[in-house]
Amino acid sequence: MLKLTKREMVILGIFIFMSILFASDKLYINKSEDIVVEHKSNKMEETEGNKENENEKEEKLIMVDICGEVKRSGIVKLKEGARLVEAVNIAGGLLDTADRKQVNMAKVLLDGEQIVIPKIGQDQWNDENPKTYKIHKNSNQVNINTASESELQSLNGVGKVLAERIIEYREKKGRFKHISDIKKVPGVGDKKYEMLKEQIRVN
């Protein structure tokens, strides 16, 4: 058996101690790196989860009533900003009797709006014959019962003050039953009405 001197034993002991210390440090570093990697992975998962939650936000929907010369009249639900062509498709499409020339299929729909598709040869709805279907010769006509201030100002001859008066009138007196009722609003006389009547509707 090899005998070691006291000095050699001390040196051997120091060597063994340093080896153990080095091995322990390496093990600790590896464990630390594992923890860091796991932490980063969790953060990535949280970020991806947040993105998925944002994508899952509900889209705002509107409902419109479509009737007249379509295959299936009724209430249809659409995404906000949808156009008339989408509502017509859901309603099964136009009948052969529909007057396509009077319908603006690119019209953007509003929540709660009623769309009546006219029949060929049908007269426009008017005060003298209130039971007649509502027809839009100009499908961009403004509904004076639901229009916002900015929409009212898009009418020829209507500025900010008159738009505010129209809104104030309907809030106090209720809905306009006929387009001629707009003459009850201060500032709308016969001349102004003649200018507006082809641009407005009440349904």
Side-chain angles (χ1 to χ4, degrees):
M1 182 177 177
L2 181 63
K3 288 185 178 182
L4 300 174
T5 64
K6 187 175 181 180
R7 184 170 179 274
E8 289 174 334
M9 290 181 66
V10 170
I11 293 172
L12 182 61
I14 293 172
F15 175 77
I16 293 171
F17 175 75
M18 292 298 291
S19 298
I20 293 171
L21 184 62
F22 177 77
S24 298
D25 286 345
K26 188 174 182 181
L27 179 62
Y28 176 75
I29 290 170
N30 287 338
K31 286 184 177 178
S32 297
E33 287 177 350
D34 287 343
I35 293 171
V36 171
V37 171
E38 185 178 352
H39 179 66
K40 286 181 180 177
S41 177
N42 288 339
K43 272 204 162 185
M44 289 173 66
E45 288 176 2
E46 288 176 6
T47 303
E48 290 173 358
N50 291 335
K51 287 181 180 178
E52 288 177 2
N53 290 335
E54 289 176 2
N55 292 334
E56 290 175 359
K57 285 182 179 178
E58 292 185 3
E59 295 176 320
K60 190 172 181 182
L61 300 175
I62 62 170
M63 295 177 71
V64 298
D65 179 13
I66 184 166
C67 54
E69 302 306 297
V70 289
K71 293 180 180 178
R72 294 189 300 272
S73 296
I75 306 296
V76 298
K77 188 181 291 186
L78 306 128
K79 294 178 183 178
E80 187 177 35
R83 298 181 184 273
L84 179 55
V85 63
E86 296 174 63
V88 169
N89 287 337
I90 293 174
L94 298 175
L95 295 173
D96 293 337
T97 51
D99 191 345
R100 175 66 179 82
K101 292 180 180 179
Q102 295 194 60
V103 181
N104 179 6
M105 300 293 272
K107 169 183 167 60
V108 176
L109 301 174
L110 301 174
D111 186 37
E113 185 175 8
Q114 183 186 54
I115 303 295
V116 181
I117 304 299
K119 183 183 291 186
I120 295 172
Q122 194 168 29
D123 293 330
Q124 184 171 358
W125 183 91
N126 54 54
D127 294 344
E128 289 71 33
N129 187 12
K131 292 183 179 180
T132 303
Y133 271 112
K134 170 178 64 64
I135 308 293
H136 301 321
K137 285 185 176 176
N138 176 1
S139 57
N140 290 321
Q141 287 174 321
V142 172
N143 186 335
I144 56 177
N145 281 318
T146 60
S148 65
E149 184 178 320
S150 61
E151 288 173 328
L152 289 170
Q153 288 186 63
S154 70
L155 297 169
N156 293 333
V158 177
K160 180 177 176 59
V161 174
L162 186 53
E164 289 175 348
R165 287 178 186 171
I166 294 171
I167 293 173
E168 183 181 5
Y169 178 89
R170 75 188 186 204
E171 287 177 349
K172 290 181 178 179
K173 305 290 186 179
R175 292 172 59 87
F176 295 99
K177 293 181 180 179
H178 307 295
I179 58 173
S180 60
D181 288 342
I182 198 171
K183 291 194 290 183
K184 297 176 183 178
V185 177
V188 182
D190 291 338
K191 187 175 181 180
K192 180 77 72 175
Y193 173 68
E194 288 299 315
M195 185 187 302
L196 292 172
K197 68 179 184 180
E198 297 298 327
Q199 306 176 59
I200 60 177
R201 58 191 176 93
V202 292
N203 289 310

